[in-house]
Amino acid sequence: MNEFLSELVPEEIKKISKKIIHHQRISTDEALVLVHEAEPGLLGMLADKVRQNINNDSLWFIRNFHIEPSNLCIHRCKFCSFRSDVTGSAWELSLAEIREIVDKAGPAEEVHITGGVHPERNFSYYEEMVKLIKSLRPEIHIKAFSAVEIDDMAQNSGLTTIEVLHQLKHAGLDALPGGGAEIFRQDIRRVICPDKTDALGYLRIHSEAHKLGIRSNATMLYGHMESWDDRIDHLNRIRQLQDETGGLQAFIPLKFRNKNNSMANLEELPLVEDLRLFAVSRIFLDNVQHIKAYWPMLGKDATEMLLAFGVDDIDGTINDTTKIYSLAGAEDQNPVMNLNEFISIARRNNRQAIRRNSNYETLETYQ
Ligand code: V47
């Protein structure tokens, strides 16, 4: 490491790097100095050091599939390529169709359920869905409904968000996914996702889930109109939430993809910016155990490269069950990753592949 802190590295960067090497927390100002002034190679080395310290050589993955109950949505997020009025066709799964999907799914540890915020479905539909899946496949963890969906269920049912979460937990909900975070700063939200649950609502709902023993993930949609200052502010609010509750399991940076949506005029970021973003996320979020690269969004090659920039989790097999990212222009139009691919990626990168459940319990390790 010290050879990276040669005389050519500015004193301020050296000082911050030494803090990181000695497991000291960095401030938002220091994070901004790093992203603007440190070479990507140095950022990678520092992120790798933090990753090793937190996760040793583990590379986590899961056998999972998605259910997207509907693409009808009351919101008009500008980055969305999935909504029915954007794609020109709508779907609404009945509970009988959901039963069919679950019956047909192969071996899996997790089902990830998220979709549009439907204009009419009532809370009992979602509650029954969770109960149904649990009764069909009790061994599968149900990671379902973004904070935005939870907020909508509360508004429609007259329950509070904590009551909604409590009832869903009782029905069999195991974890919350991280969707809906986008960028927390309100001036950006006002443009890209007006009228949607705001940052305070998102953070409150995750905090309520944690209080009930439901663990969750957090995300950030990056690479559109936000600045580095907005990104670091976002990371800081996640770090603060985690200091308070400890209930976040993974942070997942989601790279904006620009096909078939109202922000298609924006260029996608170059890979080097992804590397910087993942590295600084790993370094800054010293209290979140896992940094996940979501390969259906990033592509398999970029995902593998990100292993050297702080990533210890690459999500799951997916089995071609999600449309959100292929519609937005991701490389894999029919995303599938098999067990051998996970094991090979781990081996090529000197990592130990570990198959997990939604709560990061080890199910199997592969040599
Ligand atoms: O909130 C939508 C993002 C999110 C685009 O918790 C887009 O394990 C890029 O949160 N380009 C939903 N991103 C998905 C999500 C998620 C995904 C994987 C794993 C987990 C987890 C959660 O997808 C939305 C939004 O930020 N998104 N459209 C787009 N064009």
Side-chain angles (χ1 to χ4, degrees), residues 66 79-81 110 112 114 143 176-182 196 217-221 252 254-259 261 292 294 297 315 324-325 328:
H66 286 238
F79 50 80
C80 180
S81 317
E110 175 185 273
H112 178 158
T114 195
K143 182 181 75 182
L176 282 193
E182 323 315 355
K196 194 157 103 167
N217 295 332
T219 58
M220 171 169 73
L221 178 70
I252 312 157
L254 294 168
K255 176 183 184 150
F256 168 65
R257 307 302 308 250
N258 69 0
K259 299 286 175 301
N261 56 50
K292 185 195 282 191
Y294 188 60
M297 181 69 86
D315 202 76
I324 301 182
Y325 316 100

Side-chain angles (χ1 to χ4, degrees), residues 3 48 57 67 100 132 140 232 270 275 307 313 315 338:
E3 71 269 23
D48 206 48
D57 286 327
I67 297 178
E100 221 173 286
L132 172 70
I140 292 185
I232 301 297
L275 304 180
L307 296 185
D313 183 302
D315 202 76
N338 65 42

Side-chain angles (χ1 to χ4, degrees), residues 21 26 44 71 86 113 116 132 146 180 185 191 209 211 272 302 318 363:
I21 295 165
I26 63 164
N71 68 341
V86 178
I113 309 174
L132 172 70
S146 69
R185 282 234 168 105
V191 179
K211 281 189 197 113
V272 66
I318 310 287
L363 301 180

